Amino acid sequence: MKKLIRGVAALVAMVGVALPAVAQEKTSISITRQPGILYLASHVMETQKFIEKQAEAQGIKGVTVEWRTFSGGGAQTDALLAGNVDIVNTGTGNLLLLWDRTKGKVKGIITSSAQPVIMVSNDPRIKTLDDITPTDKIAVPTVGVSTQAILLQIAAAAKYGDAQVKKFDPNTVQLGHPDAVAAISNPNHEVKNHFAAPPFQYIELKQKGVHRVTDSREILGGALTQATFFTTTGFAEANPKLIVAVREATKEAIAFIKKDPKAALEAYKAVTGDKTSIDDLMAIMNEPGFINEYRIDPQGTMKFATHLNKVGTLKTMPKAWTDYYLPVSADLNGN
């Protein structure tokens, strides 16, 4: 928390500096993401150079994009706050917390996926969250602020009352999804539960004895944006054409995924080195409704905001989802 506060202070100081009256937009940008096919649009954007193409259509030639992969959203937002990256692609919780703590100086651009995230377990004793004891460990990407950690809080409040909202916080441990898969694969590992994300949750569910405990749709009663591009308002104001390029490139990538999912998955494998077979990945894409949840409009974000405000994590309650997205995003059919 202290690290985040220092980062926020640095960001506020950075964006508080007046921009020159006429500024040339950047031609070299850096964007982060996490592992997994939740971020499939970014892999397609990278291999097809959609941002570069869209930037040129906006009149900016010679744009280069550095894509960086982080194990969790916390590391991504640290990098954004430190000014080490320009745009991040991570979960709704991180966007809301940074929007709040920077007093609106971090905002969303566009979303790219809203597939459900699933909590799995290899412990036959644990069938539901009611079976979690104080000694059971649950792997999440980032303790406290990741989408999975916040979903556990929402579930706890619904099950046991608002006073127990952080009931599962002591159970959570921070592990990147690939490391958590390795833990679940090892019956002797102390971590026996993982609140995962695609494709990792489906890889785990194919293992003997691994089963579903709960998921985001069950907890929230609907879809939730899992990956959204966001940036500082300072960057957006200085680079409006690049913001449009990222938006249009995301839309183009999602259309690509839906038209040719196999080619999209080949892009994912080429970028990430994931050894999962194309056939197994295609089986995930064919899960009911899965491919349709690659989408550009925010889903379930105000439900998330309501919870975070209710427990005091979010000090300012937004009036609408458009409060924490850039004005250029107001045409999206969000909630």
Side-chain angles (χ1 to χ4, degrees):
M1 182 63 70
K2 289 180 180 178
K3 186 177 181 183
L4 177 61
I5 291 170
R6 287 197 301 271
V8 170
L11 175 64
V12 170
M14 177 177 67
V15 298
V17 177
L19 293 170
V22 179
Q24 185 174 354
E25 296 203 25
K26 294 184 71 172
T27 56
S28 178
I29 63 172
S30 55
I31 306 177
T32 72
R33 61 188 165 214
Q34 291 182 56
I37 60 173
L38 280 180
Y39 302 92
L40 183 58
S42 75
H43 304 113
V44 172
M45 291 158 77
E46 179 176 0
T47 58
Q48 302 301 310
K49 297 191 179 298
F50 282 158
I51 292 178
E52 294 88 334
K53 180 184 112 177
Q54 292 292 344
E56 186 162 356
Q58 293 292 318
I60 310 174
K61 295 184 178 180
V63 167
T64 59
V65 182
E66 177 194 14
W67 292 93
R68 299 172 60 187
T69 300
F70 287 75
S71 63
Q76 290 176 273
T77 55
D78 285 347
L80 181 68
L81 292 173
N84 294 331
V85 299
D86 299 307
I87 298 171
V88 299
N89 188 205
T90 186
T92 295
N94 285 297
L95 167 59
L96 286 166
L97 290 170
L98 262 65
W99 168 80
D100 184 43
R101 290 167 186 173
T102 62
K103 301 186 185 303
K105 289 183 169 58
V106 169
K107 291 190 177 183
I109 302 170
I110 195 168
T111 75
S112 58
S113 64
Q115 284 81 10
V117 291
I118 302 174
M119 178 175 163
V120 304
S121 179
N122 64 7
D123 188 336
R125 177 180 55 80
I126 298 173
K127 303 295 185 186
T128 71
L129 289 175
D130 290 325
D131 300 318
I132 298 293
T133 70
T135 59
D136 293 313
K137 299 184 185 300
I138 306 170
V140 297
T142 308
V143 170
V145 299
S146 65
T147 294
Q148 289 88 341
I150 295 169
L151 283 168
L152 286 170
Q153 293 178 359
I154 294 172
K159 279 178 168 290
Y160 311 113
D162 291 345
Q164 294 295 310
V165 65
K166 296 190 176 181
K167 176 180 174 65
F168 299 120
D169 280 17
N171 296 98
T172 59
V173 294
Q174 188 160 309
L175 280 180
H177 291 308
D179 291 334
V181 172
I184 295 297
S185 301
N186 179 0
N188 298 317
H189 200 284
E190 63 177 353
V191 174
K192 300 186 179 301
N193 310 281
H194 176 205
F195 213 145
F200 306 105
Q201 57 202 24
Y202 298 108
I203 293 170
E204 291 167 322
L205 286 168
K206 291 182 71 173
Q207 298 174 19
K208 184 178 179 180
V210 177
H211 55 275
R212 174 193 168 281
V213 177
T214 187
D215 62 48
S216 55
R217 283 182 179 158
E218 181 177 77
I219 293 170
L220 275 188
L224 172 67
T225 290
Q226 304 293 349
T228 187
F229 289 98
F230 58 91
T231 188
T232 65
T233 55
F235 178 84
E237 289 163 5
N239 300 277
K241 293 180 180 180
L242 283 176
I243 295 298
V244 172
V246 170
R247 270 184 52 109
E248 294 306 308
T250 305
K251 291 162 66 175
E252 193 173 8
I254 289 174
F256 184 103
I257 291 168
K258 292 179 178 179
K259 181 180 179 180
D260 195 345
K262 184 177 180 181
L265 291 171
E266 287 170 346
Y268 163 76
K269 284 176 65 67
V271 170
T272 65
D274 190 329
K275 302 303 182 186
T276 308
S277 72
I278 286 289
D279 287 345
D280 285 346
L281 290 171
M282 281 298 295
I284 294 170
M285 297 290 274
N286 290 328
E287 288 280 328
F290 189 92
I291 198 168
N292 292 329
E293 292 301 343
Y294 288 108
R295 57 194 305 168
I296 62 172
D297 47 336
Q299 295 294 298
T301 64
M302 282 295 287
K303 289 182 180 179
F304 235 53
T306 299
H307 162 75
L308 291 173
N309 178 251
K310 185 177 181 180
V311 300
T313 303
L314 203 67
K315 305 303 180 186
T316 303
M317 180 61 198
K319 295 182 177 64
W321 69 269
T322 48
D323 288 355
Y324 43 88
Y325 277 79
L326 293 167
V328 71
S329 308
D331 62 315
L332 299 174
N333 185 26
N335 60 68

